[in-house]
Amino acid sequence: MRREIPMAITTLTGLIMIIVFFVPRWEDWSDIFLKWFTVIAGFALVLGAGSLLLVNLNKISRKASGWGYNVVLIIGLLATAGSGIIQGIGPGTMFDFIFVYFFTPLSATMFSLLAFYIASAAFRAFKAKSLEAGLLLVTAFIVMLGRVPIGEMMWNALPFAQSIPLTEIIEKWIMGCFNTAGQRAIMLGASIGIISVSLKILLGIERSYLGGGD
Amino acid sequence: MKIRKSVFLFAVAILTVLFCLCAQKAYAGKNWSDQAFSEKEGIAVVGNEDKYEAVYGISIPEKKVIWKVGMPKSHSVHIEIDGDMVILVALEDAGFSKNVKVVDLKTGKVKWEEKIPSAARKTEVFKDQDTIYFGVDQDYRDVMKAKVYAFNKTSGAKKWTPYEAMGNIKGMVPTQNGDFILILEKTSQAKGNKPAEKSIELVKIDKNTGKDVWVVPVKGTFASIPTEHESVVYFVTQNIETVKGSDGKETVNIVRSFQAVSSENGQILSTFVFADKDKPYGDPVYAAGNPVVVTEQGKAICFESKPSDPNKPVKWEVDLGAAPQSNILVQDQLAYIPTMKLDGENKVYSVVCLDTASGQQKWTNKVDGVPELPLIVAKDTVILATRITQGEGKGQTFQFKLQGINPLDGKEKWNGIADGKLENPLFLKDNMLFVMLAAKKGSKTVHIISMYDITTGAAKWAYETESVINTKLFVDEDSADFGTKDGFVVSVGIADGKELYKYNAKSELDTTIAASDKNLGFATQEGEYIIINDKGVVEKEMNLKPWFDMKKISILLGCLVLSAALSWYIYHARKGKEMFVRKIAGLQAIDEAVGRSTEMGKPVLYITGLADVDDIQTLASLSILGHIAQKTAEYDTPLVVPCCRSVVMSTAQEVVKESYLKAGRPDTYRSENIHYLTDDQFGYVAGVDGIMVREKPAANFYMGKFYAESLILAETGHSTGAIQIAGTAEAAQLPFFVAACDYTLIGEELFAASAYLSKDAQQIGSLKGQDMAKAIILAVVAAGCLLLTFEMHWVKLLFATQ
């Protein structure tokens, strides 16, 4: 019964979502299900917060290595939630202050790491160790060149460049043909994979998401 | 096993029945076109827009749908009743053509149908007794071309070859002799430093031949809609001119001109250039045989209709001494203009009355408060509503003042004051003036509809409701009917204002109210068309939404073909047929990765992605997690799963717990290792990076949906020296994983992973089915390319979903 009822709910919900996609009279049911999901996710957030507290309090009580970070997290969690609950979240509140002066800059800091990581990943990816890697390097070089103003300037200085604009090569040939074809092939394969997984879930063949692997 | 299957089927059956019962009274869509109504036949024509296009003819006396006409999927349908026929115009091909249908009003039989290619949504429609003219813009290789089509109203035969001209259609103005003038706006191509320039062209088209009679080019762009009176076309243009000053500096001037062109021969009768800062307020208004323009700077200028001297077109010019608040309103040779003048910081509002023959100011009436526009000019009374505001902020209150003014001397005939603020424009029918106000009553806002007799100014009655009146008022001999925001249709007695009935329509009205034979008909936002009688009792409720959206038939067929291919191979796999599956390096490396962690005594880190459990990639990821958890349980290696969504955390805990149970090691399961971090993208990244750096897991798995955080995670993992295996169907993130991870599952491999790892025959069969589905799609793509190369464009329509 632990398997049958969840599987019945999954199959039914999946079937309903497929039916309402084709039946206009029932189309708003998909919105209703999404609302149900939001409500369930709202309650599950309590579980999430509980898990966060338990894990971190446990580490603090054990004085596990780096337990100071857990203290900071608990203080941050309680201060943010508390200020929001007591004062509200409008402009000028403590919650707003934490959001603007702590959360936003910290998020931006994490995001800005991406620029450096792209450089380090590109450095490794473009090592011309084989013919394929060499082709990748040359293609990447041309695309990068075409995307910076100095690249176009350098290209235009070449004697034959006037007849072949660099942007044409990049936009229409490399990005329009090779890149788009590759991306579409991946998307096509992924879409069929999605249909396959969905069908397996609906038919009850794929049950590992319920736990246990089969 | 049989009992389990029976329980499963029973549960599905019960839930299906419950769903069907609930769906009986289905939630329906919105966005009905407003209804056109034939009073003579009592037939309402209403269009169901946007999703499953159809137009319905509903007989209100017969209380039934008498016909239905399918239309292309469109965002709007223009419905017009013309005698015994209905003209329907809808957008087609994602807005790149217009679908025109002319149907019989009584039978719904399509008399004729045409598809007109067009580049813009707007269509100019102009009719005469036997012909319908359509003016559309068409895009030819980035050059706009205007085309005018003429169809015989009854047969749909093309009257003449479509008229073509360069430019965009701005309007079609009928002339007195039945021909029409096509108004075009042209844009020249930018050349070097010279920017693109706009110009106007007026073209008179002969309605019998479709040829141009004359073409008049005019500099600039239109600042008003052209109109024709007594064989003269009037309009205002504006032109941007750059003037070089004596100091060499360039200044930009906007030159506005009033133009009069003879519609008989295209001769420009007069051109009047307005002073620098004078900007016409709205379109020229035709008054007592002459066009009058009022400017934002407070001048009223009357032009000669056919000036004897083209250089002196002005008949009279009056300085109002105040800024107009709306365009002028003309009746019986008198023009009325609401104005505003600043007196220090105070705004002083007045109504000015001019004699249109001489420009003489007849009277000026100072107004208390701010005028509610537009003014209403009845036969012998000018009705002026004003808003009087008292106090500021939360304590602000509003009063509504209604004045009846004698048009001859400007003296007040009557007035009335009520608390509240006008919610809808004043509505005049015969001598009855309906006023809809919102007023404070204690802590509540009430909505009041009042009826005034405009001959005496007496308020006859007032009806109060707690909900906003959000439909046009429908007034007949006995009652005034309207819809409210809380989904009621209210009928109020015209004589005493008493409520006749209040019908609960359960949702807001989506159309105006039509009435025939004492019955009212209207469509609701729940998708139903309802007919009620004069007692407020339902005569008929009709759900007009179709049971199947035919535009999605290609999707359904595609899904069925793919599902059939999958089911075929699953069936054969069940029968025990051996199937070959190629090796997937990323999945083969899972054992190596977990083994390495075990040897190093380090944990395994598993990331399920950023999406919630409603995303198929997360479900695929949870399936792989089950297999990896079984391995870590067997090897007694800690498995850490930090989750970004709390529902995913709960599901992942169950999945891992089951896997540990299956491996026979439930004692080693640690629920605290599968924990929640945060829903925030970069907060989550920071948390996971912290785990990587502090705990240094020896194997990192990234399976699921990822966004910009993919590279931050993978690069941090790389820096800690972990073996990394990633898998996602997000094409934009794949290059990052390929660059920073040891193995990457690309797109479909993520979804194939569960089948590959389980070695379950049925699941392996599904993989084979996927390959067959891909082969079918490749064949269709190749055939499509070939057919389109030979210009067989019908093939595109087979796959169209819009």
Coordinates of all heavy atoms in Angstrom, one line a residue, chain A residues 132-199:
Chain A
E132 N 40.4 17.4 -31.9 CA 39.1 18.0 -31.5 C 39.3 19.2 -30.6 O 38.6 20.2 -30.8 CB 38.3 16.9 -30.7 CG 37.8 15.8 -31.6 CD 38.7 14.6 -31.6 OE1 39.9 14.9 -31.3 OE2 38.3 13.5 -31.9
A133 N 40.2 19.1 -29.6 CA 40.5 20.2 -28.7 C 41.0 21.4 -29.5 O 40.7 22.5 -29.2 CB 41.4 19.8 -27.6
G134 N 41.9 21.1 -30.5 CA 42.4 22.1 -31.3 C 41.4 22.9 -32.1 O 41.4 24.1 -32.1
L135 N 40.4 22.1 -32.6 CA 39.3 22.8 -33.4 C 38.5 23.6 -32.4 O 38.0 24.7 -32.8 CB 38.4 21.7 -34.0 CG 38.9 21.0 -35.3 CD1 38.0 19.8 -35.6 CD2 39.0 22.0 -36.4
L136 N 38.2 23.1 -31.2 CA 37.5 23.8 -30.2 C 38.2 25.1 -29.9 O 37.5 26.2 -29.8 CB 37.3 23.0 -29.0 CG 36.5 23.5 -27.9 CD1 35.0 23.5 -28.3 CD2 36.6 22.7 -26.6
L137 N 39.5 25.1 -29.7 CA 40.3 26.3 -29.4 C 40.2 27.3 -30.5 O 39.9 28.5 -30.2 CB 41.8 25.8 -29.2 CG 42.7 27.0 -29.0 CD1 42.5 27.7 -27.7 CD2 44.2 26.5 -29.0
V138 N 40.3 26.9 -31.8 CA 40.3 27.8 -32.9 C 38.9 28.5 -33.0 O 38.7 29.7 -33.1 CB 40.6 27.1 -34.2 CG1 40.4 28.0 -35.4 CG2 42.1 26.6 -34.2
T139 N 37.8 27.6 -32.9 CA 36.5 28.1 -33.0 C 36.2 29.1 -31.8 O 35.7 30.2 -32.1 CB 35.5 27.0 -32.9 OG1 35.9 25.9 -33.7 CG2 34.1 27.4 -33.3
A140 N 36.6 28.7 -30.6 CA 36.4 29.6 -29.5 C 37.1 30.9 -29.7 O 36.6 32.0 -29.3 CB 36.8 28.9 -28.2
F141 N 38.3 30.8 -30.2 CA 39.1 32.1 -30.4 C 38.4 33.0 -31.4 O 38.3 34.2 -31.2 CB 40.5 31.7 -31.0 CG 41.4 32.9 -31.2 CD1 42.0 33.5 -30.2 CD2 41.6 33.3 -32.5 CE1 42.8 34.6 -30.4 CE2 42.4 34.4 -32.8 CZ 43.0 35.1 -31.7
I142 N 37.9 32.4 -32.5 CA 37.2 33.3 -33.5 C 35.9 33.9 -32.9 O 35.6 35.1 -33.0 CB 36.8 32.4 -34.8 CG1 38.0 32.0 -35.5 CG2 35.9 33.2 -35.7 CD1 37.8 31.0 -36.6
V143 N 35.1 33.1 -32.1 CA 33.9 33.6 -31.5 C 34.2 34.7 -30.5 O 33.6 35.8 -30.5 CB 33.1 32.5 -30.9 CG1 31.9 33.0 -30.1 CG2 32.6 31.5 -31.9
M144 N 35.2 34.5 -29.7 CA 35.6 35.5 -28.7 C 36.1 36.8 -29.4 O 35.8 37.9 -29.0 CB 36.7 34.9 -27.8 CG 36.1 34.1 -26.6 SD 37.2 33.9 -25.3 CE 38.3 32.6 -25.9
L145 N 36.8 36.6 -30.4 CA 37.4 37.7 -31.2 C 36.2 38.6 -31.7 O 36.2 39.8 -31.7 CB 38.2 37.2 -32.3 CG 39.2 38.2 -32.9 CD1 40.3 38.5 -31.9 CD2 39.8 37.6 -34.2
G146 N 35.2 37.9 -32.3 CA 34.1 38.6 -32.9 C 33.2 39.2 -31.9 O 32.4 40.1 -32.2
R147 N 33.3 38.8 -30.6 CA 32.4 39.4 -29.6 C 33.0 40.6 -28.9 O 32.3 41.1 -28.0 CB 32.0 38.3 -28.6 CG 31.1 37.2 -29.2 CD 29.7 37.6 -29.3 NE 29.0 36.8 -30.3 CZ 28.2 35.8 -30.0 NH1 28.1 35.4 -28.7 NH2 27.5 35.1 -30.9
V148 N 34.2 40.9 -29.2 CA 34.8 42.1 -28.5 C 35.2 43.1 -29.6 O 35.5 42.8 -30.7 CB 36.1 41.7 -27.7 CG1 35.8 41.0 -26.5 CG2 37.1 40.9 -28.6
P149 N 35.0 44.4 -29.3 CA 35.2 45.5 -30.3 C 36.6 45.4 -30.9 O 36.8 45.6 -32.2 CB 35.0 46.8 -29.5 CG 34.3 46.4 -28.3 CD 34.6 45.0 -28.0
I150 N 37.6 45.1 -30.1 CA 39.0 45.1 -30.7 C 39.1 44.0 -31.7 O 39.9 44.1 -32.7 CB 40.0 44.9 -29.5 CG1 41.4 45.3 -30.1 CG2 40.0 43.5 -28.9 CD1 42.4 45.5 -29.0
G151 N 38.4 42.9 -31.6 CA 38.4 41.8 -32.5 C 38.0 42.3 -33.9 O 38.6 42.0 -34.9
E152 N 36.9 43.0 -33.9 CA 36.3 43.4 -35.2 C 37.3 44.4 -35.9 O 37.5 44.4 -37.1 CB 35.0 44.1 -35.0 CG 34.2 44.1 -36.3 CD 32.7 44.4 -36.0 OE1 32.3 44.3 -34.9 OE2 32.0 44.7 -37.0
M153 N 37.9 45.3 -35.0 CA 38.9 46.2 -35.5 C 40.1 45.5 -36.2 O 40.5 45.9 -37.3 CB 39.4 47.1 -34.3 CG 40.0 48.4 -34.7 SD 40.6 49.3 -33.3 CE 42.1 48.5 -33.0
M154 N 40.6 44.5 -35.5 CA 41.7 43.7 -36.0 C 41.3 43.0 -37.3 O 42.1 43.0 -38.3 CB 42.2 42.7 -35.0 CG 43.0 43.3 -33.8 SD 43.0 42.2 -32.4 CE 43.8 40.8 -33.0
W155 N 40.1 42.4 -37.3 CA 39.7 41.7 -38.5 C 39.6 42.6 -39.7 O 40.0 42.3 -40.8 CB 38.3 41.1 -38.2 CG 37.8 40.3 -39.4 CD1 36.9 40.7 -40.3 CD2 38.0 38.9 -39.7 NE1 36.6 39.7 -41.2 CE2 37.3 38.6 -40.8 CE3 38.8 37.9 -39.1 CZ2 37.3 37.3 -41.4 CZ3 38.8 36.6 -39.6 CH2 38.1 36.4 -40.8
N156 N 39.0 43.8 -39.5 CA 38.8 44.8 -40.5 C 40.2 45.3 -41.1 O 40.2 45.8 -42.2 CB 38.0 46.0 -40.1 CG 36.6 45.6 -39.9 OD1 36.1 44.6 -40.4 ND2 35.8 46.3 -39.1
A157 N 41.2 45.1 -40.3 CA 42.6 45.6 -40.8 C 43.1 44.6 -41.8 O 44.1 44.9 -42.6 CB 43.5 45.8 -39.6
L158 N 42.6 43.4 -41.8 CA 43.1 42.4 -42.8 C 42.7 42.7 -44.2 O 41.6 43.2 -44.4 CB 42.6 41.0 -42.4 CG 43.1 40.4 -41.0 CD1 42.3 39.1 -40.7 CD2 44.6 40.1 -41.0
P159 N 43.5 42.4 -45.2 CA 43.2 42.8 -46.6 C 41.9 42.2 -47.1 O 41.2 42.8 -47.9 CB 44.4 42.4 -47.4 CG 45.2 41.4 -46.5 CD 44.8 41.8 -45.1
F160 N 41.6 40.9 -46.8 CA 40.5 40.2 -47.4 C 39.2 40.4 -46.5 O 38.1 39.9 -46.9 CB 40.8 38.7 -47.5 CG 41.2 38.0 -46.2 CD1 40.2 37.6 -45.4 CD2 42.5 37.9 -45.9 CE1 40.6 36.9 -44.2 CE2 42.9 37.3 -44.7 CZ 41.9 36.8 -43.8
A161 N 39.3 41.0 -45.4 CA 38.3 41.1 -44.4 C 37.0 41.8 -44.9 O 35.9 41.4 -44.5 CB 38.7 41.7 -43.1
Q162 N 37.2 42.8 -45.7 CA 36.0 43.6 -46.1 C 34.9 42.7 -46.8 O 33.7 43.0 -46.7 CB 36.5 44.7 -47.1 CG 37.4 45.7 -46.4 CD 36.7 46.4 -45.2 OE1 35.5 46.7 -45.2 NE2 37.5 46.8 -44.2
S163 N 35.4 41.7 -47.6 CA 34.5 40.9 -48.3 C 33.8 39.9 -47.4 O 32.7 39.3 -47.7 CB 35.2 40.2 -49.5 OG 36.3 39.4 -49.0
I164 N 34.4 39.5 -46.3 CA 33.8 38.5 -45.4 C 33.6 39.2 -44.0 O 34.6 39.2 -43.2 CB 34.6 37.2 -45.3 CG1 35.2 36.8 -46.6 CG2 33.8 36.1 -44.6 CD1 36.3 35.8 -46.5
P165 N 32.5 39.7 -43.6 CA 32.4 40.3 -42.3 C 32.5 39.2 -41.2 O 31.9 38.1 -41.4 CB 31.0 40.9 -42.3 CG 30.5 40.8 -43.7 CD 31.3 39.8 -44.4
L166 N 33.2 39.6 -40.2 CA 33.4 38.6 -39.1 C 32.1 38.2 -38.4 O 31.9 37.0 -38.1 CB 34.4 39.2 -38.0 CG 34.8 38.4 -36.9 CD1 35.6 37.1 -37.4 CD2 35.7 39.1 -35.9
T167 N 31.2 39.1 -38.2 CA 30.0 38.8 -37.6 C 29.1 37.8 -38.4 O 28.4 37.0 -37.8 CB 29.1 40.1 -37.4 OG1 29.1 40.8 -38.6 CG2 29.6 41.0 -36.3
E168 N 29.3 37.8 -39.7 CA 28.6 36.9 -40.6 C 29.1 35.5 -40.3 O 28.3 34.5 -40.1 CB 28.8 37.2 -42.1 CG 28.1 38.4 -42.6 CD 26.7 38.1 -43.0 OE1 26.5 37.1 -43.8 OE2 25.7 38.7 -42.5
I169 N 30.4 35.4 -40.2 CA 31.0 34.1 -39.9 C 30.6 33.5 -38.6 O 30.2 32.3 -38.5 CB 32.6 34.2 -39.9 CG1 33.1 34.6 -41.3 CG2 33.2 32.9 -39.5 CD1 34.6 34.9 -41.4
I170 N 30.6 34.4 -37.6 CA 30.2 33.9 -36.2 C 28.7 33.7 -36.1 O 28.3 32.6 -35.8 CB 30.7 35.0 -35.2 CG1 32.2 35.0 -35.2 CG2 30.2 34.6 -33.8 CD1 32.8 36.2 -34.5
E171 N 27.9 34.7 -36.4 CA 26.5 34.6 -36.2 C 25.8 33.6 -37.1 O 25.0 32.7 -36.6 CB 25.8 36.0 -36.4 CG 26.2 37.0 -35.4 CD 25.9 36.7 -34.0 OE1 25.0 35.9 -33.7 OE2 26.6 37.2 -33.1
K172 N 26.1 33.7 -38.4 CA 25.4 32.8 -39.3 C 26.0 31.4 -39.5 O 25.3 30.5 -39.7 CB 25.3 33.5 -40.7 CG 24.3 34.7 -40.7 CD 23.9 35.2 -42.0 CE 22.9 36.3 -41.9 NZ 22.8 37.1 -43.1
W173 N 27.3 31.3 -39.4 CA 27.9 30.0 -39.7 C 28.2 29.2 -38.5 O 27.6 28.2 -38.3 CB 29.2 30.3 -40.5 CG 29.7 29.1 -41.2 CD1 29.0 28.3 -42.1 CD2 31.0 28.5 -41.1 NE1 29.8 27.3 -42.5 CE2 31.0 27.4 -41.9 CE3 32.2 28.8 -40.4 CZ2 32.1 26.5 -42.1 CZ3 33.3 28.0 -40.5 CH2 33.3 26.9 -41.3
I174 N 29.0 29.8 -37.6 CA 29.4 29.0 -36.4 C 28.2 28.9 -35.4 O 27.8 27.8 -35.1 CB 30.6 29.6 -35.6 CG1 31.8 29.7 -36.6 CG2 30.9 28.9 -34.3 CD1 33.0 30.4 -36.0
M175 N 27.6 30.0 -35.1 CA 26.5 30.0 -34.1 C 25.2 29.4 -34.7 O 24.5 28.7 -34.1 CB 26.2 31.3 -33.5 CG 27.4 31.9 -32.7 SD 28.1 30.9 -31.4 CE 26.9 31.2 -30.1
G176 N 25.0 29.9 -36.0 CA 23.7 29.6 -36.6 C 23.7 28.1 -37.1 O 22.6 27.5 -37.0
C177 N 24.8 27.6 -37.6 CA 24.8 26.2 -38.1 C 25.2 25.2 -37.0 O 24.4 24.4 -36.5 CB 25.7 26.1 -39.3 SG 25.1 27.1 -40.7
F178 N 26.5 25.3 -36.7 CA 27.1 24.2 -35.8 C 26.5 24.3 -34.4 O 26.0 23.2 -33.9 CB 28.6 24.4 -35.7 CG 29.3 24.2 -37.0 CD1 29.8 25.3 -37.7 CD2 29.4 23.0 -37.6 CE1 30.4 25.2 -38.9 CE2 30.0 22.8 -38.8 CZ 30.5 23.9 -39.5
N179 N 26.5 25.5 -33.8 CA 26.0 25.6 -32.4 C 24.5 25.3 -32.3 O 24.1 24.5 -31.5 CB 26.3 27.0 -31.9 CG 26.0 27.1 -30.5 OD1 26.4 26.3 -29.7 ND2 25.3 28.2 -30.1
T180 N 23.7 25.9 -33.2 CA 22.3 25.6 -33.1 C 21.9 24.2 -33.4 O 21.1 23.6 -32.7 CB 21.5 26.6 -34.2 OG1 22.0 27.9 -33.9 CG2 20.0 26.5 -34.0
A181 N 22.6 23.6 -34.4 CA 22.3 22.2 -34.7 C 22.6 21.3 -33.5 O 21.8 20.4 -33.2 CB 23.2 21.8 -35.9
G182 N 23.8 21.5 -32.9 CA 24.2 20.7 -31.7 C 23.2 20.9 -30.6 O 22.7 19.9 -30.0
Q183 N 22.8 22.2 -30.3 CA 21.9 22.4 -29.2 C 20.5 21.8 -29.5 O 19.9 21.2 -28.6 CB 21.7 24.0 -29.1 CG 22.9 24.6 -28.6 CD 22.6 25.6 -27.5 OE1 21.6 25.6 -26.9 NE2 23.6 26.5 -27.1
R184 N 20.1 21.9 -30.7 CA 18.8 21.3 -31.1 C 18.8 19.8 -30.9 O 17.8 19.2 -30.5 CB 18.3 21.7 -32.5 CG 17.8 23.2 -32.4 CD 17.2 23.6 -33.7 NE 16.9 25.0 -33.6 CZ 16.6 25.8 -34.7 NH1 16.6 25.2 -35.9 NH2 16.3 27.0 -34.5
A185 N 19.9 19.2 -31.3 CA 20.0 17.7 -31.2 C 20.0 17.3 -29.7 O 19.3 16.4 -29.4 CB 21.4 17.3 -31.8
I186 N 20.6 18.1 -28.9 CA 20.6 17.8 -27.4 C 19.1 18.0 -26.9 O 18.6 17.1 -26.2 CB 21.5 18.7 -26.6 CG1 23.0 18.3 -27.0 CG2 21.3 18.6 -25.2 CD1 24.0 19.3 -26.5
M187 N 18.5 19.1 -27.4 CA 17.1 19.3 -26.9 C 16.1 18.2 -27.4 O 15.3 17.8 -26.6 CB 16.7 20.7 -27.4 CG 17.2 21.8 -26.5 SD 17.1 23.4 -27.4 CE 15.4 23.6 -27.6
L188 N 16.3 17.8 -28.6 CA 15.5 16.8 -29.2 C 15.6 15.5 -28.4 O 14.6 14.9 -28.0 CB 15.9 16.5 -30.6 CG 14.7 16.2 -31.6 CD1 13.7 17.3 -31.7 CD2 15.3 15.9 -33.0
G189 N 16.9 15.1 -28.1 CA 17.1 13.9 -27.4 C 16.6 14.0 -26.0 O 15.9 13.1 -25.5
A190 N 16.8 15.2 -25.3 CA 16.3 15.4 -24.0 C 14.7 15.3 -24.0 O 14.1 14.8 -23.0 CB 16.7 16.7 -23.5
S191 N 14.1 15.9 -25.0 CA 12.6 15.9 -25.0 C 12.1 14.5 -25.1 O 11.1 14.1 -24.5 CB 12.1 16.7 -26.2 OG 12.7 18.0 -26.2
I192 N 12.7 13.7 -26.0 CA 12.3 12.3 -26.1 C 12.5 11.6 -24.7 O 11.7 10.8 -24.3 CB 13.0 11.5 -27.2 CG1 12.6 12.2 -28.5 CG2 12.7 10.1 -27.2 CD1 13.4 11.8 -29.7
G193 N 13.7 11.9 -24.1 CA 13.9 11.3 -22.8 C 12.9 11.7 -21.8 O 12.4 10.9 -21.0
I194 N 12.4 13.0 -21.8 CA 11.4 13.4 -20.9 C 10.1 12.6 -21.2 O 9.4 12.2 -20.2 CB 11.1 15.0 -21.1 CG1 12.3 15.7 -20.5 CG2 9.9 15.4 -20.4 CD1 12.4 17.2 -20.8
I195 N 9.7 12.5 -22.4 CA 8.5 11.7 -22.8 C 8.6 10.3 -22.3 O 7.7 9.7 -21.6 CB 8.2 11.7 -24.3 CG1 7.9 13.2 -24.8 CG2 7.1 10.8 -24.7 CD1 7.8 13.3 -26.3
S196 N 9.8 9.7 -22.5 CA 10.0 8.3 -22.1 C 9.9 8.2 -20.5 O 9.2 7.3 -20.0 CB 11.4 7.9 -22.5 OG 11.8 6.7 -22.0
V197 N 10.6 9.1 -19.8 CA 10.5 9.0 -18.3 C 9.1 9.2 -17.8 O 8.6 8.5 -17.0 CB 11.5 10.1 -17.7 CG1 11.3 10.1 -16.2 CG2 12.9 9.7 -18.0
S198 N 8.4 10.2 -18.5 CA 7.0 10.5 -18.1 C 6.1 9.3 -18.3 O 5.3 8.9 -17.4 CB 6.4 11.6 -18.9 OG 7.3 12.7 -18.8
L199 N 6.3 8.6 -19.4 CA 5.5 7.4 -19.7 C 5.8 6.3 -18.7 O 4.9 5.6 -18.3 CB 5.8 7.0 -21.2 CG 4.8 6.0 -21.8 CD1 3.5 6.7 -22.0 CD2 5.4 5.4 -23.0

